[in-house]
Amino acid sequence: MKKYFAIGALALSALSAQAKDIVDTAVAAGNFNTLATALQAAGLIETLKGKGPFTVFAPTDEAFAKIPKADLDALLKDKAKLTAVLTYHVVPGKVMAKDVKAGKVKTVQGSELTISTSGGVMVDKAKVTATDIVADNGVIHVIDSVIMPK
C-alpha cells in the first residue's frame, strides 16, 4: 500500500511541476525576455503568478525593440508608468481566440483596449501574431507592438 501511495504522490508532484503560470510560460517561450524584465521592474511577477485567470496580450522582444532604446530605458526606470503600460496589456478572465469579439475591453490598468477583427485580430494598433498559449492561470496572445494606455 505504501508503494502505491508513494507512486501516486510522485505522479501528483510531477503533474504540478508541469503546470506553469503566465510568467513561467512566457519565460519558457524564450521570446519575452524584455517583458519578463519589465514585469520584474514593475513588481508584477507575483501578480501574474497569482490565481487569475488573466488574458495577457504579450509583446515579444521584437515588439519592445520598436521602442527607441532611450525611451525604453526611461520607461523601465519609471515604475508607475511601467506598471500602467504593462497592466494595460492584461484583461481579467481567460479569453480564448475563439471568444474574441470586436469592441472595447476593459484592462486591469483601468482603460479600455480596442479590439478589431477584420483582416486579423488587432489590439489597439498591435497585430495578434499567435493565440491561445495556455497557462494554468490564464492565456497569452502574442502581439507585435507594445501598446500604450490612452
Side-chain angles (χ1 to χ4, degrees), residues 85-128:
V85 169
L86 293 173
T87 56
Y88 186 66
H89 288 76
V90 181
V91 174
K94 185 175 183 179
V95 183
M96 302 302 286
K98 66 180 178 47
D99 301 318
V100 171
K101 293 177 179 55
K104 303 272 186 195
V105 180
K106 189 155 184 119
T107 68
V108 170
Q109 182 263 351
S111 298
E112 291 182 330
L113 289 170
T114 301
I115 308 287
S116 61
T117 55
S118 57
V121 177
M122 300 286 288
V123 180
D124 284 349
K125 299 211 183 303
K127 182 174 180 51
V128 176

Side-chain angles (χ1 to χ4, degrees), residues 9-111:
L10 278 173
L12 189 58
S13 68
L15 183 64
S16 66
Q18 290 176 339
K20 290 185 177 174
D21 57 52
I22 296 258
V23 175
D24 293 340
T25 301
V27 168
N31 58 339
F32 299 104
N33 297 319
T34 308
L35 177 60
T37 298
L39 290 169
Q40 182 76 39
L44 292 172
I45 296 285
E46 288 308 310
T47 302
L48 288 179
K49 283 181 160 288
K51 185 177 177 184
F54 305 105
T55 298
V56 177
F57 295 102
T60 60
D61 292 333
E62 285 182 8
F64 275 101
K66 293 178 181 180
I67 300 172
K69 182 169 175 16
D71 294 347
L72 181 57
D73 289 345
L75 180 62
L76 290 171
K77 290 177 184 164
D78 184 341
K79 187 174 179 178
K81 186 172 183 185
L82 181 61
T83 299
V85 169
L86 293 173
T87 56
Y88 186 66
H89 288 76
V90 181
V91 174
K94 185 175 183 179
V95 183
M96 302 302 286
K98 66 180 178 47
D99 301 318
V100 171
K101 293 177 179 55
K104 303 272 186 195
V105 180
K106 189 155 184 119
T107 68
V108 170
Q109 182 263 351
S111 298

